[in-house]
Amino acid sequence: MSNQIASESDSTFWHGFTNMRGFRRRGISIASAEGVWVVDTEGNRYLNAFGGLCNLSLGGAHPEIIEAIREQAGKLLYFPIERATHQAADEYARRLARVTPEGMNTVFYATTGSEANETIIKMMRQYQRLRFGEDTTKLGVIALDRAYHGVTYGALSATGSAFRRFRKQFEPLTPGFHHAPSPYAYRCESGCGGSCSLACADAVETMVERLGAANIAGVLVEPALGVGGAIVPTREYHERLREICDSNDILLAYDEVITGFGRLGEWFGADYFGVRPDFMALSKGINSGYLPFGAVVVHDGVYREFLSAVDGFIATGSTTNGNPLCCASALATLDIMERDGIVDQVRQTGKYLFDKFENLREHAIVGDIRGAGLLMGIELVKDRATKEPIPQQQWQVIEDRLALSGLIIGSQGAEGLGGTIGIVPPLTITTDEVDELYRRLDGVLARYSRLTAKG
């Protein structure tokens, strides 16, 4: 599997989040995709267990999505939605509102997940200014220390302090962001010992009390943390967050960029936990990742405030928001998901995945297996008793061997340095493909365990 990658001297393609020297030695060049499989330029097939970047929800090259894009291209390729509209944007907003939680019927388009979160931060602050006046101090945002919200400055500032490597090089970041402990049961800072006491939620309340509710506009969280390590809180945690926000006149926003559109076995993380937020950020699975697209869904009560105060005006948006091709691809994705019962399928396949992968605990290197639906994290450790993280060098060895076995996984965990194997496959993965995924992963972990046992 030695793809021909351009040398450092003749390449003009600079990849984000990539060690470029390492990439020139180990990188792969993908030529095609179908379902959960991708094929490189040398004909090698890989099982795409991370679904691209958690976005290929219906797999690669779905013919109906491709046809929808092709058909839309023959009608209208582009028209801005600033003081205008087009049929594809109108139709998708109406259809999306049919599957979002009750009371969340207003859609604001974005191009990426980062932009969707950035827009929510702006909406939170403008909303509080509309209610409390231009001079209000109710502008702060509380997020979680292992959360990942994106790369634009507001989204990066909301991204957790655990991702110091991502944040530090771009400082000074946007002021007004505060980070509370994440509901990370495996490494609970409050010593819950496997029986959650909701101390992590109480820490949010303590932060509100310390900073003053008059200084906090909103709380922004992922319903289940993705890049931070597939951390899934309890329903009670989210209910407590909603309670804290309501009692302090604070908005609650869910970053559903990864959890949205069936990933947890419900349409949205909000449905999975039974809690209604004031905002949801959507992207990735919104159109199976085929084109750059995102959206913010706003609760009716919040939108009414904007309508009554400023006729719904908000000074944000970008050139490609609501692009007709993107809307058409999202509408086709929604059609397929509803027709084929994809969300129900995720519940069934997800159960099979977790039952099967419990066997990986036989490997001493596996510290924890966690997640929900088709979002799984397998945390590797050097020592189970102490939970000492696997050294970065050893993680790289395992990641390389997984690639050599024809398996593409996600590198999750604090600092973005890995340590947790991310399994976030297309929602259409079959049980036979789950078996094949397990076989390859189990083989690599078994071989690694034998080698380390020999010293």
Side-chain angles (χ1 to χ4, degrees), residues 265-336:
E266 297 289 346
W267 272 101
F268 299 98
D271 300 317
Y272 183 84
F273 292 105
V275 173
R276 177 201 51 77
D278 300 298
F279 303 94
M280 295 194 308
L282 308 177
S283 191
K284 293 189 183 288
I286 193 171
N287 64 347
S288 198
Y290 282 28
L291 291 168
F293 194 44
V296 174
V297 182
V298 184
H299 188 267
D300 297 346
V302 174
Y303 182 57
R304 280 196 296 269
E305 185 69 31
F306 278 84
L307 276 178
S308 63
V310 290
D311 296 326
F313 183 85
I314 183 167
T316 193
S318 59
T319 303
T320 55
N321 287 172
N323 178 275
L325 299 183
C326 297
C327 291
S329 65
L331 186 59
T333 300
L334 198 54
D335 285 342
I336 295 163

Side-chain angles (χ1 to χ4, degrees), residues 8 18 28 68 85 158 183 263:
E8 294 170 56
T18 301
I28 59 175
T85 191
R263 178 57 59 184

Side-chain angles (χ1 to χ4, degrees), residues 9-32:
S9 60
D10 62 12
S11 174
T12 57
F13 183 7
W14 190 0
H15 304 246
F17 294 100
T18 301
N19 178 323
M20 292 304 295
R21 291 188 187 277
F23 175 72
R24 296 304 165 202
R25 294 192 301 271
R26 300 189 302 269
I28 59 175
S29 178
I30 299 300
S32 64

Side-chain angles (χ1 to χ4, degrees), residues 14-20 23 53 114 148 150-152 156 159 163 165-167 169-170 227 411 415-416:
W14 190 0
H15 304 246
F17 294 100
T18 301
N19 178 323
M20 292 304 295
F23 175 72
L53 286 176
S114 294
Y148 178 81
V151 295
T152 51
L156 181 61
T159 290
F163 291 91
R165 191 169 68 114
F166 290 174
R167 292 162 47 92
Q169 56 201 326
F170 301 121
V227 179
S411 178
E415 295 281 5

Side-chain angles (χ1 to χ4, degrees), residues 395-452:
W395 167 261
Q396 189 61 65
V397 169
I398 291 172
E399 193 173 32
D400 289 347
R401 287 178 177 168
L402 287 170
L404 288 170
S405 76
L407 186 59
I408 298 174
I409 53 94
S411 178
Q412 298 179 320
E415 295 281 5
L417 295 175
T420 297
I421 294 173
I423 304 296
V424 193
L427 307 183
T428 52
I429 190 171
T430 66
T431 54
D432 285 346
E433 289 164 341
V434 169
D435 289 342
E436 182 61 22
L437 195 168
Y438 176 85
R439 185 187 69 79
R440 297 186 186 203
L441 179 56
D442 181 56
V444 169
L445 294 182
R447 183 183 176 200
Y448 178 84
S449 297
R450 287 195 300 269
L451 290 174
T452 52

Side-chain angles (χ1 to χ4, degrees), residues 36-37 47 345-357 374 425-439:
V36 302
W37 299 94
L47 200 161
Q345 183 178 319
V346 170
R347 284 195 286 270
Q348 296 166 16
T349 312
K351 183 180 185 306
Y352 183 85
L353 173 81
F354 276 87
D355 288 347
K356 179 86 174 180
F357 277 53
L374 287 174
L427 307 183
T428 52
I429 190 171
T430 66
T431 54
D432 285 346
E433 289 164 341
V434 169
D435 289 342
E436 182 61 22
L437 195 168
Y438 176 85
R439 185 187 69 79

